[in-house]
């Protein structure tokens, strides 16, 4: 199985901050990397697919970059509604695997 | 637009079979991949497997011996069965659509299943 390691596991930031969450795969996954946002009691929401393709309706302050083994999610200017847990997921090979999550909290 | 809704028992006894159904509204299972994912505090998000619209399946090897995902003939429902459950199968179970090789863009709200006697 491909292991996905996110960092940091948790992050405190303020509204307006720029934050970056990274995800490292145990082997190359090309650009088969997706990012999800999950709020308490809700299903994950797809933000970015194929490492950098922003889903329709997702604000442009979210962006994805990288390929191979190292990818990143950047939020350019945090908004109050962005405080949530973020997960990366590889769909390069079965079994699809997720990172352990990054909890983004208000400072 | 497509919406998904999971349904099934919230409590299952150890060693029995967990059975869930995902109902597709606003569309049908005529293309794409249809997934089951679960989330437990101990293991985070775990992909269980998918059903391709043609009926073929692919499972997580860690669960493959106990899991079946199948398609209803109406193509409006697909189901998950997990046999011989233990407490480790206690989780929130989600169904989701994906358009390979991309991510899962439509999710159900999730249903909590507890394995306990």
């Amino acid at each position: 199985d491909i292991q996905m390691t996110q960092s940091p596991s948790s992050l405190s930031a303020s509204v307006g901050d720029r934050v970056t969450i990274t995800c490292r795969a145990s082997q190359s996954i090309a650009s088969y990397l997706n990012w999800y946002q999950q709020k308490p009691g809700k299903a994950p929401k797809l933000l970015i697919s194929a490492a950098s393709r922003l889903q329709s309706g997702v604000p442009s302050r979210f962006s994805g970059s990288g390929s191979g083994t190292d990818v990143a999610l950047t939020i350019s200017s945090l908004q109050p509604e962005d405080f949530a847990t973020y997960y990366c997921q590889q769909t390069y090979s079965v079994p699809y695997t997720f990172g352990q999550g990054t909890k983004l909290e208000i400072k | 637009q497509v919406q998904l809704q999971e349904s099934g028992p919230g409590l299952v006894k150890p060693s029995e079979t967990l059975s869930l159904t995902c109902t597709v509204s606003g569309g049908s299972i005529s293309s794409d991949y249809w997934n089951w994912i679960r989330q437990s505090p101990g293991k985070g998000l775990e992909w269980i497997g998918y059903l391709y619209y043609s009926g073929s399946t692919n499972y997580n090897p860690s669960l493959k011996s106990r899991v079946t995902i199948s398609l209803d003939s109406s193509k409006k429902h697909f189901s998950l069965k997990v046999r011989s459950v233990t407490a480790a199968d206690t989780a929130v179970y989600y169904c989701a659509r994906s358009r390979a090789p991309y991510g899962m863009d439509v999710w159900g709200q999730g249903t909590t299943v507890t394995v306990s006697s």
Side-chain angles (χ1 to χ4, degrees):
Chain A
D1 299 5
I2 297 175
Q3 306 302 317
M4 306 300 293
T5 304
Q6 284 181 239
S7 60
S9 296
S10 63
L11 176 59
S12 293
S14 301
V15 173
D17 283 354
R18 177 185 179 92
V19 299
T20 297
I21 299 168
T22 62
C23 187
R24 173 163 286 179
S26 59
Q27 66 183 75
S28 178
I29 55 171
S31 296
Y32 294 94
L33 190 284
N34 311 299
W35 289 101
Y36 299 87
Q37 176 193 68
Q38 187 178 32
K39 295 183 178 179
K42 300 293 187 181
K45 173 187 175 184
L46 181 63
L47 299 176
I48 289 172
S49 63
S52 60
R53 285 176 44 151
L54 200 65
Q55 288 296 107
S56 175
V58 174
S60 59
R61 63 181 180 272
F62 291 91
S63 63
S65 62
S67 66
T69 59
D70 294 295
V71 289
L73 170 71
T74 297
I75 310 172
S76 60
S77 178
L78 276 172
Q79 298 302 300
E81 61 268 29
D82 299 338
F83 292 94
T85 300
Y86 293 84
Y87 295 93
C88 61
Q89 178 210 25
Q90 64 83 18
T91 46
Y92 178 79
S93 69
V94 169
Y96 300 152
T97 46
F98 293 84
Q100 81 279 15
T102 295
K103 187 172 184 178
L104 181 52
E105 299 174 303
I106 301 174
K107 184 183 286 186
Chain B
Q1 74 196 44
V2 171
Q3 293 184 307
L4 305 178
Q5 176 71 58
E6 304 90 349
S7 59
L11 180 64
V12 182
K13 290 183 168 55
S15 79
E16 294 189 346
T17 296
L18 178 162
S19 296
L20 297 175
T21 296
C22 183
T23 299
V24 180
S25 58
S28 65
I29 301 172
S30 55
S31 62
D32 306 320
Y33 294 79
W34 303 86
N35 300 264
W36 285 98
I37 303 100
R38 68 183 184 181
Q39 185 171 31
S40 60
K43 292 195 73 175
L45 286 162
E46 182 178 31
W47 175 78
I48 299 170
Y50 68 61
L51 169 80
Y52 189 46
Y53 77 98
S54 63
S56 64
T57 54
N58 209 332
Y59 301 124
N60 192 322
S62 68
L63 295 165
K64 187 174 183 177
S65 64
R66 299 193 294 128
V67 166
T68 302
I69 299 174
S70 58
L71 176 61
D72 182 88
S73 58
S74 69
K75 297 206 171 184
K76 288 285 195 177
H77 311 273
F78 64 106
S79 65
L80 170 70
K81 292 189 187 300
V82 182
R83 295 173 289 278
S84 304
V85 298
T86 69
D89 295 307
T90 293
V92 177
Y93 285 76
Y94 296 99
C95 55
R97 181 187 76 178
S98 62
R99 294 178 158 167
Y102 305 117
M104 294 160 193
D105 62 340
V106 180
W107 292 67
Q109 66 185 28
T111 188
T112 299
V113 178
T114 301
V115 178
S116 175
S117 55

